[in-house]
């Protein structure tokens, strides 16, 4: 296994709550992952990224961590976790975990100590407590909103029973933000990295990597748009101070043999700002959310691909590509609608009134895989996308657990629709999110038997990508095409053609067809289809 594996890897996201259930309680767990390592090896992925599996009250599906040095009992034991790491390595699969530096759980011992210690105590300085505004401190210290809706501040009752200070939580109240100007915070997270690196973990995905530090004085957001990082400086997104943290983390990762790696979850829309996170002495890669948020349209995707490759080349980092994850509506469903130019990546963005064409979404998703897997660098596969799973858009309101649902006043259905457990044999009545009856047609055992299934397309694509020189890291050049077609040459004469239009398209001269997302028609490429060729 080369030390530079991360420059061209296919990394599979295991959302542990919904991947595989080993003990029959309806919730995914570590035994479930262990039992499905052969499936993952046959899929042909190089690594898995496991969402937080640490002790947590699960207020935000595990992104509210109590401690990093143990395993949430509902998912299994430390012994099972260490066995899983060993078994994954034996299967040729590296393991990345998830670290959540911006915040901890409200049940973290330090936050409980801060509540008990009262205003002005050193314990409170590990978090972001402030006196309220208004005559009696009855108003939040500033106007920052929570990502999930409502205010980013919650008022506490002091030990003597009177209404007291407020604490900051950019997400849920169960996720108090850590104070990154405090040395204990740095030590706490460095210890978490070392704890798992010492146990053989190959790296970490860094949650909300573009946060951590807040502007001095915690100024009001005012008319700065929450998501628009174009406004510099933004009071809490993409702060310059964050890069020294990642330089220190990189030194820790490089001190291991083999060196460990990081991938940043940084929702930073400007490619030039995003590229700062992957400079040679910082993180190795970062998710490419511009690609994920792009509509299925040639000019948009071409612009994102060009900007991504150019900016990452400036810092010598490999690009990454991703279509779905546990926070966005599944792309089979996104692509099943008329494509808008604005970002429409969450269920709440999908206009329920617009006509939905599931077959079109499915065809586009097949083509999108061939596009993504042919691009230079590494790519991410979200569990279930290899089955062509659509978003479950109509979960009963009473089962929704995403904090966005309640905190938005029951207007934003949140992210549960992309988190419904993977169907292995059919529908599991105990699943923690109910699987609709139609999920059964996407079950692994069903698609295993159907050589034309999405599962076999992913298996074939990842096998060809791995075994054929020219994919992964390396050269890239566009070829001339019509406006609704993209075609590019990779190394060693590998060509990818994607037809975003409806008209049949002739293919460039080629020696062989390596793989097609839909059958060619008289040697031409159908609409919403892609093909790999060798010259
Ligand atoms: O999501 C990050 C996230 O949603 C924010 O980055 C926000 O979308 C963006 O920064 C706005 O610009 C991660 C996890 O993937 C998600 O599941 C968690 O709920 C969240 O962090 C809190 O830990």
């Amino acid at each position: 296994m080369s030390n530079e594996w991360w420059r061209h890897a296919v990394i599979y996201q295991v959302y542990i709550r919904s991947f595989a259930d080993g003990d029959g309680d309806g919730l995914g767990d570590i035994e479930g992952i262990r039992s499905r390592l052969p499936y993952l090896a046959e899929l042909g992925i190089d690594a898995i990224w496991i969402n937080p599996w640490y002790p947590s009250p699960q207020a935000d599906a595990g992104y509210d961590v109590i401690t990093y040095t143990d395993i949430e009992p509902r998912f299994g034991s430390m012994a099972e976790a260490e066995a899983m790491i060993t078994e994954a390595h034996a299967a040729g699969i590296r393991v990345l975990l998830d670290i959540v530096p911006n915040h901890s759980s409200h049940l973290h011992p330090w936050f409980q100590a801060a509540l008990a210690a009262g205003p002005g105590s050193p314990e409170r300085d590990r978090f972001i407590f402030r006196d309220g505004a208004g005559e009696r401190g009855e108003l939040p210290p500033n106007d920052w909103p929570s990502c999930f809706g409502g205010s980013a501040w919650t008022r506490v009752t002091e030990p003597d029973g009177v209404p007291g200070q407020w604490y900051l939580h950019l997400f849920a109240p169960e996720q108090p933000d850590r104070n990154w100007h405090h040395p204990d915070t740095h030590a706490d997270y460095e210890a978490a990295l070392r704890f798992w690196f010492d146990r053989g973990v190959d790296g970490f995905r860094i949650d909300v990597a573009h946060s951590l530090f807040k502007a001095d004085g915690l100024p009001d957001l005012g008319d700065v748009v929450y998501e628009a990082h174009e406004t510099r400086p933004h009071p809490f997104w993409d702060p310059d101070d964050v890069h020294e943290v990642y330089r220190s983390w990189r030194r820790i990762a490089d001190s291991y043999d083999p060196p460990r790696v990081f991938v940043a979850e940084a929702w930073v829309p400007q490619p030039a700002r995003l590229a700062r996170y992957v400079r040679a002495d910082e993180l190795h890669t970062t998710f490419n959310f511009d690609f994920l948020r792009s509509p299925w349209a040639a000019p948009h995707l071409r612009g994102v691909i060009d900007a991504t490759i150019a900016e990452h080349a400036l810092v010598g980092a490999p690009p990454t590509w991703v279509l779905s994850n546990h926070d966005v509506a599944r792309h089979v469903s996104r692509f099943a609608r008329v494509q808008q130019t604005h970002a429409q990546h969450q269920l709440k963005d999908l206009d329920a009134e617009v006509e939905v064409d599931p077959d079109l979404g499915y065809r586009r998703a097949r083509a999108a895989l061939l596009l993504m897997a042919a691009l230079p660098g590494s790519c991410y596969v979200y569990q279930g996308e290899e089955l062509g799973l659509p978003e479950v858009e109509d979960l009963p309101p009473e089962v929704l657990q995403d904090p966005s649902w309640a905190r938005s006043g029951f207007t934003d259905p949140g992210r549960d629709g992309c988190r419904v457990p993977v169907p292995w044999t059919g529908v599991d009545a105990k699943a923690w999110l109910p699987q609709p009856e139609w999920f059964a047609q996407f079950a692994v055992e069903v698609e295993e038997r159907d050589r034309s299934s999405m599962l076999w397309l992913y298996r074939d694509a990842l096998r060809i990508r791995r075994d054929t020189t020219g994919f992964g890291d390396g050269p890239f050049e566009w070829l001339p095409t019509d406006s609704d077609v993209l075609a590019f040459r990779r190394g060693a004469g590998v060509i990818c053609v994607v037809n975003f239009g409806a008209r049949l398209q002739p293919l460039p001269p080629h020696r062989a067809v390596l793989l097609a997302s839909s059958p060619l028609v008289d040697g031409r490429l159908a609409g919403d289809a892609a093909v790999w060729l060798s010259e």
Side-chain angles (χ1 to χ4, degrees):
M1 291 191 190
S2 86
N3 286 350
E4 297 266 296
W5 62 273
W6 46 274
R7 298 189 71 89
H8 47 75
V10 176
I11 300 171
Y12 186 93
Q13 179 187 354
V14 172
Y15 186 73
I16 184 169
R17 290 177 62 89
S18 302
F19 179 63
D21 176 10
D23 62 5
D25 67 354
L27 187 70
D29 48 40
I30 294 171
E31 285 309 288
I33 299 174
R34 295 174 73 183
S35 72
R36 299 301 180 180
L37 287 173
Y39 166 82
L40 293 170
E42 186 174 7
L43 183 59
I45 50 105
D46 301 296
I48 54 176
W49 147 39
I50 303 172
N51 291 89
W53 61 3
Y54 319 104
S56 163
Q58 302 290 308
D60 182 25
Y63 280 93
D64 45 321
V65 178
I66 296 173
T67 175
Y68 286 94
T69 56
D70 205 347
I71 295 291
E72 165 57 38
R74 285 171 279 189
F75 295 145
S77 67
M78 182 59 76
E80 290 168 342
E82 292 180 301
M84 194 281 306
I85 294 164
T86 301
E87 291 156 6
H89 286 163
I93 296 171
R94 287 181 169 90
V95 178
L96 303 182
L97 299 182
D98 211 321
I99 193 163
V100 187
N102 182 70
H103 43 270
S104 300
S105 166
H106 69 299
L107 298 183
H108 188 294
W110 286 359
F111 188 72
Q112 292 299 307
L115 291 176
S121 62
E123 290 83 352
R124 290 218 164 167
D125 196 34
R126 287 182 176 135
F127 299 88
I128 299 175
F129 279 86
R130 293 292 186 276
D131 293 337
E135 287 181 20
R136 297 178 306 285
E138 75 281 7
L139 300 175
N142 68 23
D143 65 355
W144 296 1
S146 156
C147 184
F148 296 142
S151 169
W153 295 91
T154 291
R155 193 175 197 182
V156 302
T157 299
E158 298 302 353
D160 60 5
V162 301
Q165 288 190 307
W166 300 68
Y167 67 88
L168 178 67
H169 52 82
L170 291 182
F171 294 92
E174 296 86 349
Q175 297 170 291
D177 278 48
R178 298 293 291 269
N179 175 8
W180 273 90
H181 294 292
H182 196 298
D184 287 358
T185 301
H186 294 253
D188 194 27
Y189 282 94
E190 289 174 8
L193 296 176
R194 294 183 190 279
F195 180 87
W196 288 103
F197 288 160
D198 291 345
R199 283 159 180 76
V201 161
D202 300 280
F204 281 90
R205 174 246 193 209
I206 302 171
D207 187 67
V208 205
H210 60 303
S211 58
L212 278 58
F213 294 87
K214 283 67 180 175
D216 292 343
L218 307 181
D220 271 355
L221 202 53
D223 58 2
V224 170
V225 175
Y226 176 84
E227 291 282 353
H229 309 314
E230 289 81 0
T231 308
R232 298 300 307 162
H234 192 284
F236 51 82
W237 292 141
D238 190 21
D240 291 334
D241 289 346
V242 79
H243 297 288
E244 187 47 48
V245 172
Y246 299 143
R247 282 191 278 272
S248 66
W249 286 15
R250 179 63 180 263
R251 290 191 290 271
I252 292 171
D254 287 347
S255 71
Y256 282 80
D257 182 18
R260 307 309 203 244
V261 302
F262 292 110
V263 54
E265 187 221 18
W267 288 79
V268 175
Q270 302 94 337
R273 295 280 310 174
L274 183 61
R276 291 154 52 92
Y277 289 79
V278 289
R279 289 173 288 195
D281 60 346
E282 290 191 48
L283 306 176
H284 302 74
T285 61
T286 179
F287 290 119
N288 184 344
F289 293 122
D290 285 349
F291 186 77
L292 179 148
R293 292 195 290 195
S294 177
W296 178 254
H300 290 84
L301 282 165
R302 178 163 181 150
V304 166
I305 293 166
D306 278 336
T308 298
I309 292 174
E311 293 295 347
H312 281 67
L314 290 176
V315 292
T320 71
W321 313 96
V322 63
L323 293 165
S324 281
N325 64 31
H326 65 294
D327 286 335
V328 301
R330 287 186 175 271
H331 60 280
V332 165
S333 298
R334 301 198 318 261
F335 292 161
R337 290 158 162 86
V338 172
Q339 297 297 284
Q340 309 292 336
T341 52
H342 62 272
Q344 52 165 12
H345 58 284
Q346 292 192 311
L347 180 55
K348 68 177 188 301
D349 305 321
L350 299 185
D351 185 342
E353 304 311 316
V354 163
E355 184 189 351
V356 179
D357 181 344
D359 293 338
L360 175 62
Y362 187 81
R363 282 201 311 279
R364 286 172 169 173
R366 290 175 67 92
L369 166 69
L370 266 57
L371 167 61
M372 177 172 76
L375 289 168
S378 52
C379 62
Y380 288 82
V381 171
Y382 174 48
Q383 68 180 42
E385 84 173 62
E386 80 276 15
L387 302 174
L389 276 185
E391 182 84 358
V392 179
E393 301 184 24
D394 56 354
L395 284 169
E398 63 272 15
V399 305
L400 298 179
Q401 298 191 23
D402 185 335
S404 298
W405 174 236
R407 287 188 63 83
S408 66
F410 307 106
T411 60
D412 175 353
R415 302 161 293 177
D416 291 317
C418 69
R419 301 174 174 182
V420 177
V422 171
W424 291 93
T425 57
V427 169
D428 172 5
K430 287 187 180 175
W432 71 279
L433 281 174
Q435 296 164 315
E437 284 306 316
W438 51 263
F439 243 44
Q441 66 189 288
F442 294 94
V444 170
E445 76 173 13
V446 170
E447 297 205 15
E448 285 258 351
R449 295 195 296 265
D450 174 1
R451 199 60 184 74
S452 68
S453 65
M454 184 74 86
L455 176 58
W456 279 103
L457 179 70
Y458 270 71
R459 285 174 169 172
D460 292 341
L462 300 188
R463 172 177 47 77
I464 294 166
R465 181 181 186 274
R466 183 180 56 248
D467 297 345
T468 306
T469 305
F471 288 101
D473 218 357
F476 173 94
E477 61 168 330
W478 293 111
L479 301 175
T481 57
D482 287 354
S483 60
D484 54 5
V485 178
L486 291 182
F488 52 88
R489 175 181 291 116
R490 299 300 323 280
V494 166
I495 288 178
C496 175
V497 185
V498 188
N499 181 3
F500 295 84
R503 290 178 296 114
L504 290 175
Q505 289 288 341
L507 297 180
H510 59 279
R511 181 169 48 82
V513 173
L514 300 175
L515 188 63
S517 68
S518 298
L520 298 179
V521 179
D522 301 330
R524 291 177 295 171
L525 185 59
D528 292 304
V531 66
W532 289 352
L533 307 168
S534 61
E535 284 184 305

